[in-house]
């Protein structure tokens, strides 16, 4: 009984590795069908890295990759700021912003505005996860993975204080438990075959 009470609440798996793979394959096929002349994929650091790396390996058109980083939006902090800009010039090219999750939409809306000023042929948005329920600004999503409800998620690029990005799955985690101890899910995710296999 005591040991059961000490065990962290089980995170809920929202996307298994197999579900991630099929979502990535679908989105890569959609983008390959749209951009015959090639495309610049712009990863938003750091959460989109695993997603972007998997996407490019199954796309069947020429792909350039670049990255941007912005300050996370926090209520009351004012606005989003650019921390790392592109190295590539996207003028006249088709560009796709690749996001791990579109939540309030503030980051994506900022990035889209920023990129549109550089005279690209087009700017689109691709996201693995879409949490529409929390949207603050409207964002058009051209290539949408899975919709998630109002729960904090970790895994496959998504972190809590730098942890859990390298999980092969996406899981809903308890924010109160994480606030008490950011490592609370380490034994569960990294020590149990149930999660390693998924
Ligand atoms: P937005 O600007 O609110 O749409 O969200 C921007 C960023 O916040 C995302 O790209 C993520 O990096 C991060 N984020 C939002 N929701 C979550 C979550 O549930 N888990 C981990 N990171 C998140």
């Amino acid at each position: 009984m005591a040991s059961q009470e000490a065990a962290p609440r089980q995170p809920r798996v929202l996307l298994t590795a197999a579900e991630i793979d099929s979502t990535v394959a679908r989105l890569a096929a959609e983008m390959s069908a749209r951009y015959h002349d090639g495309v610049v994929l712009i990863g938003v650091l750091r959460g989109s890295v695993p997603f972007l790396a998997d996407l490019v390996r199954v796309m069947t058109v020429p792909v350039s990759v670049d990255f941007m980083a912005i300050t996370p939006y926090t209520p009351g902090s004012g606005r989003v700021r650019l921390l790392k800009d592109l190295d590539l010039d996207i003028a006249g090219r088709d560009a796709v912003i690749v996001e791990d999750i579109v939540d309030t939409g503030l980051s994506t809306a900022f990035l889209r505005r920023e990129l549109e000023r550089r005279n690209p042929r087009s700017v689109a948005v691709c996201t693995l996860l879409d949490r529409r329920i929390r949207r603050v600004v409207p964002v058009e999503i051209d290539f949408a993975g899975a919709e998630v409800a109002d729960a904090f998620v970790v895994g496959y690029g998504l972190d809590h204080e730098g942890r859990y990005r390298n999980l092969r799955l996406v899981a809903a985690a308890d924010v109160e438990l994480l606030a008490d101890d950011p490592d609370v899910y380490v034994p569960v995710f990294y020590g149990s075959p149930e999660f390693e296999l998924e």
Side-chain angles (χ1 to χ4, degrees), residues 117-151:
R117 290 199 279 120
R118 303 171 187 201
N119 304 316
R121 180 151 76 176
S122 67
V123 180
V125 173
C126 171
T127 187
L128 176 72
L129 302 173
D130 184 4
R131 196 191 281 120
R132 267 188 264 175
I133 197 169
R134 295 229 324 151
R135 207 69 100 242
V136 170
V137 290
V139 174
E140 193 180 325
I141 296 178
D142 305 84
F143 306 98
E147 179 144 356
V148 289
D150 195 10

Side-chain angles (χ1 to χ4, degrees), residues 44-48 70-73 80 98-109 127 129 131 134-137 139 148-149 151-155 157-160 165 171 175:
V44 185
L45 293 172
R46 285 171 272 194
S48 71
I70 52 176
T71 51
Y73 175 86
V80 180
V98 177
E99 287 274 19
D100 48 0
I101 185 167
V102 178
D103 187 33
T104 62
L106 289 161
S107 313
T108 314
T127 187
L129 302 173
R131 196 191 281 120
R134 295 229 324 151
R135 207 69 100 242
V136 170
V137 290
V139 174
V148 289
F152 185 78
V153 294
V154 295
L158 291 138
D159 75 311
H160 173 72
R165 284 196 205 274
V175 278

Side-chain angles (χ1 to χ4, degrees), residues 11 14 27 33-34 44 46 51 54 58-61 65 70-71 73 102 112 115 128 130 149 160 169 182 191 197:
L14 297 181
L27 295 172
R34 168 98 60 103
V44 185
R46 285 171 272 194
F51 178 41
D54 284 346
V58 285
M59 285 180 69
T60 53
V61 293
V65 171
I70 52 176
T71 51
Y73 175 86
V102 178
R112 191 197 267 273
L115 295 179
L128 176 72
D130 184 4
H160 173 72
L169 48 79
L197 291 173

